[in-house]
């Protein structure tokens, strides 16, 4: 989803950081072998995630929704040397695909994979987080927030993807559209919860940055 003219969008991408070769390879293989390749963060949003992580310089990162591992590798670029990135995905068929690229990166020993329901896995984690990226099933976004908010370190940052949902958040809500309904609830939650301050960026399908107070 583009919020600016295509030519201007191309200019923005061309004048942003280049995509690392490993991520180019991951993108190619995802498009060749995996369903719904558009779920990738992609070059531009990946560089946004990378630079945000570098600015935050987190020691602990949690990602909810790994897919093929693209965004995890982008977030890992800003992680402290001895840091850890924990990434959860419900699709066990993607585990080996993710691991292949994690092991080919500089962060092989720092990335920990989990397969299963994030709402069951997160409460069992004995750690707190400096940075969380939520990019999983939309109906559970509010539940994910409630699951992680008490595990956030002071000044920790929560990044939430797809919060504009192809513009559906400003359209008439369809009766059976549970994803849009959940995102409307989630966006309101982030705006009104006194534990965070939030700004929505119209990047690709919408990216929210929330700082824990």
């Amino acid at each position: 989803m583009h919020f600016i003219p295509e030519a201007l969008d191309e200019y923005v991408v061309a004048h942003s950081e280049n995509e690392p070769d490993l991520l180019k390879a991951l993108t190619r293989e995802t498009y060749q072998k995996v369903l719904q390749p558009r779920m990738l963060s992609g070059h531009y949003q990946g560089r946004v995630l990378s630079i945000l992580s570098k600015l935050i310089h987190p020691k602990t990162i949690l990602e909810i929704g790994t897919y093929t591992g693209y965004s995890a590798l982008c977030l890992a670029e800003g992680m402290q040397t001895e840091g850890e990135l924990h990434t959860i995905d419900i699709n066990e068929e993607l585990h080996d695909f993710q691991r292949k690229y994690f092991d080919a990166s500089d962060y092989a020993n720092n990335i920990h994979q989990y397969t299963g329901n994030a709402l069951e896995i997160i409460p069992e984690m004995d750690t707190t987080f400096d940075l969380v990226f939520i990019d999983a099933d939309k109906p559970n976004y509010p539940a994910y927030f409630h699951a992680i908010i008490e595990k956030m370190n002071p000044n920790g940052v929560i990044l939430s993807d797809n919060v504009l949902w192809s513009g559906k958040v400003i359209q008439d809500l369809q009766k059976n559209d549970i994803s849009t309904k959940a995102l409307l609830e989630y966006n309101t939650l982030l705006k009104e919860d006194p534990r965070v301050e939030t700004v929505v960026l119209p990047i690709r399908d919408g990216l929210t940055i929330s700082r824990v107070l």
Side-chain angles (χ1 to χ4, degrees), residues 70-97:
Y70 191 104
S71 52
L73 290 170
C74 294
L75 294 167
E77 293 176 23
M79 185 169 53
Q80 295 179 26
T81 304
E82 301 300 322
E84 293 186 333
L85 187 152
H86 303 265
T87 183
I88 306 170
D89 201 277
I90 201 164
N91 188 349
E92 63 183 19
E93 294 180 358
L94 293 176
H95 183 276
D96 291 346
F97 188 109

Side-chain angles (χ1 to χ4, degrees), residues 68-164:
T68 54
Y70 191 104
S71 52
L73 290 170
C74 294
L75 294 167
E77 293 176 23
M79 185 169 53
Q80 295 179 26
T81 304
E82 301 300 322
E84 293 186 333
L85 187 152
H86 303 265
T87 183
I88 306 170
D89 201 277
I90 201 164
N91 188 349
E92 63 183 19
E93 294 180 358
L94 293 176
H95 183 276
D96 291 346
F97 188 109
Q98 299 159 5
R99 193 74 248 171
K100 170 185 172 181
Y101 283 94
F102 294 160
D103 286 344
S105 75
D106 295 333
Y107 321 105
N109 296 325
N110 305 83
I111 298 179
H112 308 288
Q113 292 169 278
Y114 303 79
T115 301
N117 185 333
L119 294 174
E120 297 175 358
I121 294 170
I122 293 169
E124 300 300 318
M125 289 183 164
D126 186 23
T127 187
T128 56
F129 300 101
D130 301 312
L131 176 61
V132 172
F133 180 47
I134 302 174
D135 186 17
D137 56 309
K138 311 313 165 192
N140 274 321
Y141 266 37
Y144 292 142
F145 175 83
H146 292 301
I148 59 99
I149 187 62
E150 297 299 332
K151 289 182 174 288
M152 298 298 300
N153 292 324
N155 292 311
V157 173
I158 302 168
L159 303 175
S160 310
D161 200 15
N162 304 118
V163 294
L164 298 180

Side-chain angles (χ1 to χ4, degrees), residues 1-3 36 38 138-139 162-185 187 200 204-206:
M1 183 176 181
H2 298 288
F3 297 97
Q36 298 181 300
R38 289 184 61 194
K138 311 313 165 192
N162 304 118
V163 294
L164 298 180
W165 207 226
S166 299
K168 292 181 182 179
V169 292
I170 59 170
Q171 298 171 3
D172 292 337
L173 182 63
Q174 301 301 305
K175 182 178 180 180
N176 297 319
D177 189 352
I178 59 174
S179 292
T180 302
K181 181 179 179 181
L183 285 168
L184 289 168
E185 177 187 342
N187 291 340
V200 180
R204 293 299 185 256
D205 199 24

